[in-house]
Amino acid sequence: MADPIEPSTSPDPNPIPATIIHPRREPFDHGLIPIQKLIFNDPVEALTPLKQKLASSSTQRVDSAAVAQLLQISSDHARLVIETLASVLHSEIDPLVAARPVDVDSVGADLRDLILFLYIQSYKRLLPRSHKDPAAVADVWPSTSAFDGYLSALSPLQLVRSNSRRFMPSPTDEEAHQLSFLQKHLANILSLLSEPVEGEGEESPVLTMEGFEHLGFLIQFDDKGSEGVPLSQAAPFFANSDPDMPAVPVPVSQVHDWLLQTIASSLEHFTEKALAKENGPSSGSDQDVTMADASPRSAKALLSVRSPCIIEGVSKSSYVKQASDINNSSVKVINCHDSTIYILAPLRYAVIYGCSDATIVLGAVGKAVRVEHCERVHVIIAAKRVCIANCRECVFFLGVNQRPLVLGDNHKLQVAPYNTYYSQLEEHMTEVGIVSTINRWDEALPVGAVDPHDSLSHPAGVSDAQAESTTRLDPDQFTNFLIPNWFEGASTGSTKDNPFPLPDAYLTSQQRNQNNLSEIKQILREAPLEENRKRELSSALHVYFRDWLYASGNIRQLYCLQGD
């Protein structure tokens, strides 16, 4: 009888470290504000006095008035700082997260979170990568518009924006870049969170367990494959602390050494993972999903607990996702062209990047939406806040609780009140904390025309230029957007109409259009025409309607619906 085959005991050539550190994407994706006074050449030198001035507060919380005074910024910008910080906080139990708009100032931000938020304003984003298939891009990217003719003769500021064929770095590349930033600045970050303790003849900085937990604003741990481990439980110096007793503070040097070692092993793991992906068969755990040939039912999306759902490359199609289709709270719509995309789900974050000649409907986004490098796109959003950057000839139909932030090099942007609904919209809005009675769609806040976080060099003197703001859509051009009911009978929602009240001018225009339509239908019904003339009239109307469908591109939606 043959000897039993022993299981292989050879070591894994790429073992997964026991503890892996990941950067939290939200502060880097949605928390950077292009205001020069928030970007410090030496963050420690600038933020240490600020920390000392505010540390005397009994609550350790800071309102926008104090932020405005200490940073020498306007009250609008100070409010923007507090609201942006609230949208990217790591702790859902922080009172600022659940604060009503009128209570934001009275609640204020935790001082340590504010310090970390201000520190990362010096972060530079990873440069966009070129696409792996330029021919495919050329096939779907729109033809040049009137802007391109004169932008080429203008300053590098416009040239940066006109180079539209840009593609987001992969999630793995971004994660490694963000973690490298934290590695480089770890000593400074820990010093700002530390507390002095008088030792024998000198002060030795220490870090309390509570202070260590605030690092959760920037990092999160995976412990042996289990995501979402509390920071204090992942760290060896706090893991076994008695919950009924205050944990003993730890020397900052000890925390620094352990984190540096863990970050280094994590970066090595990410590098090996990226190399394995390049040299071997692609893995579904972290790949860029291309959907250039996608149909509403066959398209795939990248889903994981930590990374966002990525919808990429939809072209000349309609694409639909409901709440049951999305296993994540964050979505990225990337490089979609000449399409209509519906994401009818409750979300925390959303990014729309590099899209053109499309209509994109986002259900309810409770934290933040960022729309960037888009051209001739109609975006319909119900969200707490929205940021618009480097877009042109776009129309935004907004239901937003905070002022829309407009930054970068924009041209001919229009805004209008929210104009649609689906059966579960109000349920989704309630779930993520959007209030329908507050809509600040027409109160855009323009900030810098140059984004200092984009790793690009810019001409001298343009850093303080203000972004071009938005204009209101003419009420006579405002129409309701009807979302088809693909799943009739399966939906249990109660929303029957647009939950955001329309301003008087838009409501009057809508009612006038409805009355005009009713009058035309009545005239046609009562027209004293013979049967053959009625058939000719009906045929003529069908021809004009068909011509409009083809001219507007809406014929594609009918084909997509028919294919369902």
Side-chain angles (χ1 to χ4, degrees):
M1 181 175 178
D3 293 335
I5 298 175
E6 294 293 334
S8 173
T9 58
S10 59
D12 185 343
N14 297 313
I16 299 176
T19 301
I20 299 177
I21 288 182
H22 295 273
R24 278 190 72 241
R25 303 180 65 92
E26 293 83 0
F28 297 101
D29 286 350
H30 299 278
L32 304 179
I33 306 174
I35 297 176
Q36 287 296 321
K37 287 187 177 181
L38 301 183
I39 300 172
F40 311 109
N41 292 328
D42 186 341
V44 172
E45 182 180 352
L47 294 175
T48 298
L50 184 146
K51 172 188 172 183
Q52 293 171 347
K53 289 179 182 178
L54 296 174
S56 59
S57 168
S58 59
T59 62
Q60 292 281 293
R61 302 194 73 86
V62 187
D63 60 18
S64 61
V67 171
Q69 180 181 5
L70 289 169
L71 298 178
Q72 294 297 296
I73 58 177
S74 69
S75 58
D76 284 341
H77 286 173
R79 175 84 178 200
L80 175 63
V81 167
I82 299 295
E83 290 178 340
T84 304
L85 171 58
S87 72
V88 296
L89 278 174
H90 61 297
S91 173
E92 289 297 315
I93 63 173
D94 190 289
L96 185 60
V97 173
R100 298 179 304 168
V102 295
D103 296 331
V104 166
D105 271 333
S106 60
V107 172
D110 185 281
L111 173 59
R112 288 159 293 196
D113 292 333
L114 177 63
I115 293 293
L116 294 179
F117 175 80
L118 292 174
Y119 192 99
I120 66 167
Q121 298 305 312
S122 61
Y123 173 76
K124 298 283 188 180
R125 292 191 184 94
L126 190 62
L127 283 171
R129 59 183 171 87
S130 60
H131 197 270
K132 58 187 176 183
D133 186 359
V137 176
D139 182 55
V140 300
W141 196 261
S143 60
T144 55
S145 76
F147 286 107
D148 296 321
Y150 75 83
L151 283 175
S152 60
L154 295 182
S155 72
L157 170 60
Q158 283 84 8
L159 290 176
V160 166
R161 199 248 352 112
S162 66
N163 181 22
S164 298
R165 290 177 184 170
R166 56 179 67 219
F167 293 83
M168 299 186 75
S170 71
T172 300
D173 290 343
E174 282 187 326
E175 190 169 43
H177 185 66
Q178 292 162 2
L179 198 56
S180 296
F181 170 85
L182 297 177
Q183 181 185 42
K184 178 181 177 181
H185 294 272
L186 182 61
N188 290 342
I189 291 170
L190 292 177
S191 72
L192 289 168
L193 290 176
S194 68
E195 299 179 7
V197 173
E198 293 186 5
E200 296 181 2
E202 62 179 10
E203 292 188 353
S204 303
V206 296
L207 197 65
T208 65
M209 187 168 74
E210 183 181 4
F212 184 78
E213 287 287 356
H214 280 274
L215 281 174
F217 179 75
L218 297 175
I219 60 175
Q220 55 191 2
F221 287 104
D222 287 359
D223 192 358
K224 297 179 181 178
S226 175
E227 298 198 14
V229 178
L231 263 64
S232 59
Q233 294 304 306
F237 27 83
F238 292 122
N240 299 316
S241 299
D242 186 343
D244 298 324
M245 297 289 291
V248 177
V250 178
V252 166
S253 58
Q254 182 180 346
V255 178
H256 178 262
D257 292 346
W258 181 80
L259 282 175
L260 270 187
Q261 181 180 358
T262 308
I263 289 175
S265 61
S266 300
L267 283 170
E268 184 177 354
H269 171 66
F270 296 154
T271 301
E272 292 171 350
K273 182 179 176 182
L275 289 174
K277 176 185 169 186
E278 290 180 3
N279 299 328
S282 61
S283 167
S285 63
D286 185 14
Q287 67 182 41
D288 299 326
V289 178
T290 300
M291 299 185 294
D293 300 320
S295 70
R297 296 294 173 268
S298 66
K300 296 180 181 179
L302 175 65
L303 298 176
S304 75
V305 175
R306 185 177 56 254
S307 297
C309 167
I310 297 178
I311 300 166
E312 182 174 15
V314 177
S315 177
K316 300 179 181 179
S317 180
S318 290
Y319 180 84
V320 186
K321 272 200 172 291
Q322 295 195 113
S324 58
D325 302 320
I326 296 181
N327 301 325
N328 206 321
S329 59
S330 180
V331 164
K332 288 189 175 182
V333 181
I334 305 172
N335 298 324
C336 295
H337 312 286
D338 198 21
S339 298
T340 304
I341 296 172
Y342 307 85
I343 304 174
L344 310 180
L347 303 167
R348 286 163 56 84
Y349 299 95
V351 172
I352 301 172
Y353 187 100
C355 298
S356 67
D357 300 285
T359 296
I360 300 172
V361 183
L362 296 181
V365 187
K367 295 291 187 179
V369 179
R370 184 178 178 92
V371 185
E372 188 170 8
H373 294 294
C374 290
E375 300 182 0
R376 299 177 296 280
V377 172
H378 284 201
V379 183
I380 304 174
I381 303 172
K384 185 162 290 185
R385 68 194 313 269
V386 61
C387 173
I388 303 166
N390 303 304
C391 294
R392 64 182 182 183
E393 301 176 61
C394 295
V395 184
F396 297 86
F397 298 88
L398 302 177
V400 288
N401 291 167
Q402 298 176 12
R403 296 180 65 179
L405 182 63
V406 179
L407 59 95
D409 191 22
N410 302 285
H411 293 279
K412 292 188 176 181
L413 302 185
Q414 293 181 291
V415 292
Y418 193 74
N419 68 337
T420 193
Y421 70 94
Y422 58 96
S423 62
Q424 293 179 298
L425 175 58
E426 288 172 300
E427 175 187 334
H428 292 168
M429 289 171 57
T430 300
E431 181 177 338
V432 300
I434 299 171
V435 181
S436 62
T437 55
I438 300 174
N439 191 359
R440 307 186 71 179
W441 63 275
D442 61 341
E443 301 177 40
L445 178 60
V447 287
V450 169
D451 188 349
H453 306 108
D454 63 9
S455 297
L456 297 169
S457 60
H458 299 288
V462 301
S463 59
D464 295 325
Q466 185 169 286
E468 179 181 312
S469 191
T470 59
T471 59
R472 293 186 183 186
L473 181 71
D474 187 331
D476 290 337
Q477 297 179 12
F478 178 83
T479 57
N480 287 330
F481 183 85
L482 180 62
I483 297 176
N485 188 0
W486 294 274
F487 311 96
E488 188 172 358
S491 178
T492 59
S494 59
T495 303
K496 306 296 183 185
D497 201 357
N498 183 352
F500 291 93
L502 287 178
D504 290 342
Y506 291 88
L507 182 61
T508 300
S509 177
Q510 183 186 68
Q511 292 171 342
R512 183 169 59 249
N513 291 337
Q514 291 172 344
N515 292 337
N516 290 341
L517 178 60
S518 298
E519 290 177 7
I520 292 172
K521 292 168 72 173
Q522 183 71 19
I523 290 172
L524 292 176
R525 278 195 298 265
E526 298 176 354
L529 299 175
E530 298 177 358
E531 286 302 317
N532 63 329
R533 300 293 290 175
K534 285 185 178 180
R535 285 194 295 270
E536 290 177 4
L537 176 60
S538 177
S539 178
L541 290 174
H542 277 91
V543 168
Y544 282 118
F545 181 60
R546 183 192 62 193
D547 291 345
W548 174 81
L549 285 174
Y550 279 103
S552 64
N554 287 311
I555 188 67
R556 181 185 60 253
Q557 294 192 54
L558 294 185
Y559 288 143
C560 291
L561 293 174
Q562 188 179 27
D564 290 345

